[in-house]
Amino acid sequence: MSSLVRPLRIILLGAPGAGKGTQTTRLLKRFPKVQSLSTGDVLRSQIAAGTRIGKEASDHIKQGALIPDTTMVGLVMSQLEQLKWLDPKASWLLDGFPRTYKQAIALDHSLDQNDCRLNMVVELDVDQKVILDRIEARWVHVPSGRVYNIDYNPPKVPFKDDITGEPLTKRSDDTAEVFQRRLDQYNKEIEPIKKFYSNKGVLYKVSGDTSDIIYPKLEALVLEKFG
Ligand code: AMP
């Protein structure tokens, strides 16, 4: 079982519900030296803690809208510093950021200044009709960000997290109406982001309709380039 021979700085792109959280959990288990940050999880914990950012984010999230770029860029930049991810030796995965072209530019600029460029951006390509069909079956464990699907990837005990046994909850933005808005938003923003990374030669795509189909392809891709 080989591990990574050089630092991995990876971003997962993909429509909401494409399984970014699930793929992240599986990658981290396989490559324990990689750390991860999900901006959605950070925002949900800020909301739970009632912070200023949490208050600002709450309405946007409920409506399926994006949080303004200045807030998001500020939040992610301070997390990059706190987590010491600007050290070129660190290996990490960002899930849910960037979601706009402006965010992509800001991230690139900050990494560039610290001599640690992104070296892999993977688009999880899942049929959006399939995503819409299964979104109402999605349940989450908010403290850890672990994601389950009652039909495809059920918890061992119904509605309980596998690791902590704590109750799972539904996300308030996982209703059909709000979800469609989030998908529309994704489709509107993603092309310039993909073009930006494609020009840098770091963009890859893995396709499939379930996490079990996508994961082996993703792992093989990481091993091919970094194993
Ligand atoms: P997620 O868990 O990644 O689906 O994120 C949930 C929600 O948090 C999104 O629908 C947005 O409202 C907000 N959010 C997460 N990441 C970002 C980001 N990079 N930029 C703007 N809004 C974000």
Side-chain angles (χ1 to χ4, degrees):
M1 188 168 172
S2 53
S3 54
L4 304 173
V5 295
R6 59 194 174 98
L8 172 68
R9 291 178 288 273
I10 181 171
I11 280 185
L12 295 186
L13 299 178
K20 298 188 291 293
T22 304
Q23 299 301 332
T24 300
T25 306
R26 294 177 76 163
L27 275 181
L28 262 50
K29 207 164 150 199
R30 172 68 179 80
F31 302 108
K33 293 223 168 80
V34 180
Q35 292 179 290
S36 79
L37 180 73
S38 147
T39 47
D41 287 350
V42 172
L43 292 168
R44 281 183 287 277
S45 8
Q46 299 262 348
I47 292 172
T51 64
R52 183 184 54 77
I53 289 183
K55 290 198 179 97
E56 182 189 345
S58 168
D59 279 346
H60 290 94
I61 292 188
K62 268 191 221 135
Q63 289 161 18
L66 294 181
I67 278 72
D69 285 334
T70 357
T71 308
M72 283 315 295
V73 168
L75 183 70
V76 169
M77 294 310 144
S78 72
Q79 293 274 338
L80 291 184
E81 279 192 23
Q82 263 177 42
L83 294 164
K84 307 215 181 317
W85 282 12
L86 295 171
D87 177 340
K89 290 199 279 303
S91 277
W92 46 257
L93 179 155
L94 253 182
D95 152 12
F97 188 95
R99 263 188 164 91
T100 65
Y101 182 69
K102 271 196 183 155
Q103 292 178 8
I105 301 283
L107 177 65
D108 197 63
H109 184 68
S110 166
L111 293 176
D112 234 16
Q113 279 181 331
N114 290 276
D115 255 346
C116 52
R117 278 155 209 90
L118 280 174
N119 43 28
M120 186 172 261
V121 176
V122 185
E123 179 196 4
L124 308 181
D125 170 38
V126 183
D127 183 343
Q128 295 195 1
K129 277 204 243 51
V130 174
I131 294 182
L132 270 170
D133 275 350
R134 68 184 181 207
I135 199 60
E136 303 223 15
R138 171 156 87 168
W139 288 73
V140 291
H141 178 242
V142 171
S144 67
R146 278 185 286 277
V147 184
Y148 299 86
N149 183 291
I150 296 305
D151 304 321
Y152 297 92
N153 169 34
K156 289 182 193 131
V157 177
F159 307 106
K160 300 269 195 250
D161 177 48
D162 284 353
I163 311 285
T164 63
E166 288 167 350
L168 303 179
T169 48
K170 287 248 13 123
R171 285 174 46 165
S172 60
D173 55 349
D174 274 353
T175 63
E177 190 201 345
V178 174
F179 200 80
Q180 182 64 57
R181 220 173 297 145
R182 290 165 59 204
L183 277 179
D184 293 346
Q185 177 82 255
Y186 175 80
N187 294 332
K188 190 175 118 213
E189 301 287 349
I190 198 63
E191 287 310 321
I193 300 178
K194 282 188 355 193
K195 191 144 188 243
F196 179 69
Y197 290 129
S198 163
N199 287 340
K200 290 184 174 288
V202 291
L203 182 67
Y204 302 87
K205 173 154 110 174
V206 287
S207 305
D209 284 348
T210 68
S211 296
D212 285 346
I213 296 175
I214 289 196
Y215 180 71
K217 297 184 187 176
L218 180 59
E219 183 182 306
L221 181 66
V222 171
L223 283 172
E224 183 194 324
K225 308 284 171 194
F226 296 88

